Amino acid sequence: MAHKDLREFTKALQSGSDLITIDDEVDWDQELAGIGRLSCERDGPAFMFNNVKDYAGWRAGRVPPRSAASRSPDWQEPASPHNP
């Protein structure tokens, strides 16, 4: 099922308990990449990082390649301006 935008897709992930949202500041190189890799290795959930170090106002998402969320063609490791 195609989603019209990232907000709609994240709501679908949240409703299925397939998304973990992290509001604490994470380092884009060390923490974000490491969490994404572990999630991929363990077929874990999708993550939305709302506070990425050195990228104020932006957020980033990671979806493991074998997760249910990644089967959607709309989710390709997006980064977008954070507009709560």
Side-chain angles (χ1 to χ4, degrees):
M1 173 181 148
H3 300 281
K4 76 175 189 175
D5 58 22
L6 180 60
R7 287 186 184 114
E8 184 180 286
F9 184 66
T10 54
K11 285 180 186 177
L13 287 174
Q14 287 171 329
S15 70
S17 300
D18 293 323
L19 178 70
I20 295 177
T21 302
I22 299 183
D23 293 320
D24 293 336
E25 183 179 79
V26 295
D27 183 274
W28 61 270
D29 184 37
Q30 300 296 318
E31 296 168 309
L32 191 150
I35 291 169
R37 181 178 176 150
L38 282 174
S39 188
C40 288
E41 289 174 354
R42 298 175 183 178
D43 295 327
F47 285 88
M48 179 61 72
F49 301 94
N50 291 326
N51 188 3
V52 180
K53 182 181 175 184
D54 298 329
Y55 290 89
W58 288 76
R59 59 186 182 174
R62 294 285 301 175
V63 178
R66 291 181 298 272
S67 73
S70 68
R71 291 194 265 290
S72 171
D74 300 323
W75 186 267
Q76 300 295 321
E77 297 185 27
S80 64
H82 183 47
N83 297 316

